[in-house]
Amino acid sequence: MTPLVSCIITTHNRVNLLQFALNSVLAQTYPELEIFIVDDGSKDSTPDVCRAWALEDSRIQYIRVPFPQGANHARNVGISQASGKYIAFLDDDDEWKPDKIKTQCEMLERTQESFTFCSKYLVYTNDRHQVVKRKLSVEDRDVIRYEDLLTFNWIGETSKIMVLTSLARDVRFDENLTSAQDYDFYLRILKRGYIALNVKEPLVDINIHNGPRISTSTSAKYKGQRKIILKYYNDMSKEQKRRQLHHYRMLEWSRNRLRNHVYLKKALSLYPWWKDWVLLKRNTKIILLGYLMRFQARRMPGYAEEPARVKLK
């Protein structure tokens, strides 16, 4: 018997992108789907458009959150409504490949495991949703365990995962996190002894566009990283602590754009990041961003050299 899969699409004021996301779900080769569009208090035409879609296809259910409470809350609302054996999440600005659900569901049914993820394409688009560049991102590990995940979020975006519904309902997303909510969700699942199986096929397009994304907010990433470190610090090895603190200090440096180079020097002394390709790419970008922000800040009226120092307690 083919198990039912609940697809949860979360959205907020992006009806133009939501259409592409929904179309990628409707194009799935897997037959047994229920589709929840959870609207996090959109003020555009999202409600009218989604209600029309629901009338056209009985698999689509539209759920409106009266006022914006964040993607974590929207995902939890979808989890509460899901009746499928498995749940797959999709952000409104991402898209699935046609075999995404079929491939992941077959893996979970074959292995009797509870959690899987896949590879992705980073797709850079312009304002007309035209593809400018595509970049393949593949994680080599066959399995991710809790001890692996404490080093770095090797799993990635929620649009890449499929999870047993009963497990997702038991764990849920932390609605108090400003970012890294997916990372925290995975850590809490794997801490219970579960493993994340890797489907190495690129089954998701993660669209990089000019619109607002939580991943582009340095302040939100900074706060989320800090909470992750504090929450899981005692479970980390010495090496993992050094690496996580290094990343935190890098974000702290780029966030405090009026600051001197104290944070940068502290970050560079914590971990030999130039020996790690992932850190090298990420930190080079952060350093360039930090210098750009400083250049812009010095041209602003009321520039001050020494804002309040922020410490990790």
Side-chain angles (χ1 to χ4, degrees):
M1 181 176 178
T2 304
L4 179 68
V5 176
S6 302
C7 305
I8 299 174
I9 309 174
T10 51
T11 188
H12 176 71
N13 285 341
R14 289 199 289 211
V15 68
N16 58 323
L17 295 176
L18 176 62
Q19 181 176 357
F20 294 102
L22 178 61
N23 286 342
S24 77
V25 178
L26 297 176
Q28 291 298 301
T29 58
Y30 189 85
E32 296 298 321
L33 300 177
E34 63 175 4
I35 305 167
F36 295 95
I37 302 176
V38 186
D39 177 9
D40 187 33
S42 293
K43 300 299 182 183
D44 60 4
S45 60
T46 296
D48 293 335
V49 172
C50 288
R51 291 187 182 107
W53 287 337
L55 290 174
E56 294 174 2
D57 193 319
S58 60
R59 296 175 298 175
I60 301 174
Q61 299 183 49
Y62 172 63
I63 303 172
R64 177 170 171 78
V65 179
F67 57 92
Q69 299 184 55
N72 293 352
H73 177 78
R75 292 187 185 109
N76 285 338
V77 169
I79 290 171
S80 299
Q81 296 297 316
S83 56
K85 181 177 181 179
Y86 302 110
I87 287 177
F89 301 96
L90 180 62
D91 289 348
D92 59 5
D93 54 351
D94 296 330
E95 297 171 61
W96 288 339
K97 297 299 183 183
D99 288 336
K100 196 264 188 188
I101 297 299
K102 178 176 180 290
T103 303
Q104 290 190 306
C105 189
E106 287 178 350
M107 172 170 273
L108 291 181
E109 287 291 287
R110 183 176 67 254
T111 61
Q112 293 299 298
E113 294 292 346
S114 303
F115 187 35
T116 182
F117 68 103
C118 64
S119 296
K120 65 184 178 184
Y121 281 104
L122 291 172
V123 181
Y124 297 82
T125 59
N126 58 23
D127 295 336
R128 297 186 297 277
H129 201 71
Q130 296 173 330
V131 177
V132 177
K133 182 175 68 172
R134 295 175 66 87
K135 182 179 178 182
L136 176 63
S137 176
V138 178
E139 172 54 45
D140 292 332
R141 291 173 175 81
D142 294 320
V143 174
I144 301 293
R145 294 179 170 80
Y146 179 64
E147 293 76 16
D148 305 318
L149 205 61
L150 286 171
T151 299
F152 180 70
N153 182 6
W154 306 109
I155 296 174
E157 297 83 356
T158 52
S159 295
K160 297 167 54 181
I161 74 168
M162 181 181 287
V163 61
L164 190 69
T165 298
S166 57
L167 178 58
R169 189 168 287 142
D170 196 27
V171 175
R172 296 182 180 267
F173 288 86
D174 185 346
E175 298 182 20
N176 295 317
L177 285 176
T178 57
S179 72
Q181 54 266 44
D182 51 357
Y183 190 19
D184 175 73
F185 182 68
Y186 310 152
L187 282 166
R188 286 187 289 118
I189 288 176
L190 300 194
K191 190 171 184 178
R192 296 175 175 219
Y194 295 93
I195 60 175
L197 295 178
N198 184 8
V199 176
K200 296 181 182 180
E201 298 178 49
L203 301 174
V204 178
D205 283 350
I206 303 296
N207 291 313
I208 311 298
H209 52 83
N210 294 327
R213 294 176 64 94
I214 191 69
S215 59
T216 62
S217 171
T218 303
S219 179
K221 289 172 68 176
Y222 165 85
K223 293 175 182 177
Q225 182 77 13
R226 184 179 191 277
K227 288 185 177 181
I228 290 294
I229 292 175
L230 292 174
K231 191 171 184 178
Y232 299 100
Y233 191 80
N234 290 336
D235 291 344
M236 295 177 186
S237 67
K238 184 177 180 180
E239 191 74 0
Q240 288 170 331
K241 290 174 182 177
R242 289 177 61 198
R243 177 167 173 155
Q244 291 279 7
L245 284 170
H246 163 82
H247 185 216
Y248 172 83
R249 292 302 187 192
M250 291 294 295
L251 289 174
E252 189 174 46
W253 177 77
S254 65
R255 176 177 181 264
N256 292 273
R257 61 185 181 182
L258 306 182
R259 203 73 166 100
N260 56 33
H261 292 89
V262 171
Y263 290 138
L264 180 59
K265 292 177 181 178
K266 187 179 297 184
L268 299 184
S269 68
L270 281 171
Y271 196 89
W273 57 276
W274 52 89
K275 297 180 181 180
D276 187 302
W277 178 238
V278 174
L279 288 178
L280 177 62
K281 291 190 296 183
R282 184 170 59 187
N283 294 337
T284 300
K285 183 177 179 179
I286 291 176
I287 290 172
L288 293 175
L289 174 64
Y291 277 118
L292 176 61
M293 293 175 68
R294 279 158 180 73
F295 175 75
Q296 293 172 341
R298 291 188 177 95
R299 302 178 66 180
M300 294 171 56
Y303 169 76
E305 282 286 347
E306 293 290 329
R309 182 184 295 268
V310 180
K311 293 184 178 180
L312 177 66
K313 297 181 179 179

